[in-house]
Amino acid sequence: MYHPSVYDNLKVVLEGAVYDLDFSGEIEIINRKDLMDQAIIERNYSIDFVVSAIGEAMKGTISLTSNLEDLAMEKLNDNPEGAGSKLSCVIETPVYEIETDCKQLQSILKKWGSGDLKGDIQQKLTYIYGQPRHVFTNTISIQLQKPVSEEEPERISSVLEELIASIKEMNEYFKGYKK
């Protein structure tokens, strides 16, 4: 009988948590990807969404990733404790004053620096060549350091709640901002 991997089981939990929020009207799913990279044997499931109260000004993404090393550890060691998948988040937001805004956004993200939410945070700014440079797109990546295991599926909901809270707090910061 086929035994699903930790990744397969966590993907179901992630999908259920995100779709519950979509059905309740808190968020609106705008895209999802279920990818398999056969060159490096990596699976990735991601869901893009907007917070309904905010709209399309900011976008969030939550992703679950598992690679060959993760699968081998799980299958060859017969489901060892600690087998899991990597969880990451992305927030896309506009930025108007690079130094001021990025510093404030980093302050908002400080809760991602400890406990189960501890992650590596990176802000990457871009703009479209030929367009006025008064608005930049800030792509904030948060790679959680601790993998998610089957024994703690509630962590996915906690991460998702914190991702939405971070987006809402960033939106509050930008409310009334002169553009």
Side-chain angles (χ1 to χ4, degrees):
M1 180 176 181
Y2 169 73
H3 184 273
S5 67
V6 170
Y7 171 85
D8 291 317
N9 291 333
L10 292 174
K11 179 181 145 189
V12 170
V13 172
L14 173 62
E15 192 170 37
V18 175
Y19 274 89
D20 283 349
L21 291 170
D22 183 70
F23 293 144
S24 74
E26 186 169 348
I27 66 169
E28 181 182 335
I29 295 172
I30 55 175
N31 195 18
R32 70 182 183 125
K33 295 178 184 166
D34 192 354
L35 305 173
M36 170 65 180
D37 186 333
Q38 294 183 345
I40 59 171
I41 314 300
E42 181 177 88
R43 296 176 68 186
N44 179 275
Y45 183 73
S46 64
I47 300 179
D48 301 339
F49 63 89
V50 295
V51 177
S52 299
I54 296 172
E56 295 183 21
M58 296 181 182
K59 182 175 84 169
T61 302
I62 187 163
S63 301
L64 185 69
T65 305
S66 184
N67 60 25
L68 180 59
E69 183 181 346
D70 300 328
L71 186 61
M73 183 177 88
E74 174 188 347
K75 296 299 183 183
L76 294 176
N77 296 322
D78 196 29
N79 271 339
E81 202 164 305
S85 297
K86 295 165 199 73
L87 198 57
S88 61
C89 303
V90 172
I91 301 170
E92 285 186 17
T93 180
V95 166
Y96 306 96
E97 299 291 333
I98 292 174
E99 293 303 319
T100 307
D101 293 347
C102 290
K103 186 175 182 178
Q104 181 63 34
L105 296 178
Q106 195 70 25
S107 175
I108 290 170
L109 296 167
K110 67 182 176 256
K111 56 197 143 215
W112 293 93
S114 63
D116 282 346
L117 293 175
K118 186 170 183 156
D120 299 317
I121 301 168
Q122 180 182 44
Q123 295 188 53
K124 182 178 178 182
L125 301 168
T126 57
Y127 70 94
I128 298 173
Y129 177 75
Q131 298 291 320
R133 283 192 252 172
H134 64 280
V135 179
F136 295 82
T137 299
N138 188 352
T139 304
I140 302 165
S141 302
I142 305 162
Q143 178 67 50
L144 291 157
Q145 292 179 355
K146 181 182 169 196
V148 179
S149 71
E150 281 183 313
E151 289 78 34
E152 53 180 3
E154 67 282 349
R155 251 185 89 209
I156 290 175
S157 293
S158 298
V159 169
L160 190 53
E161 287 171 18
E162 194 54 54
L163 176 58
I164 293 168
S166 295
I167 292 170
K168 287 179 177 178
E169 195 171 341
M170 288 177 187
N171 185 60
E172 283 300 313
Y173 168 72
F174 285 115
K175 266 189 178 173
Y177 204 91
K178 293 182 181 176
K179 300 172 186 162

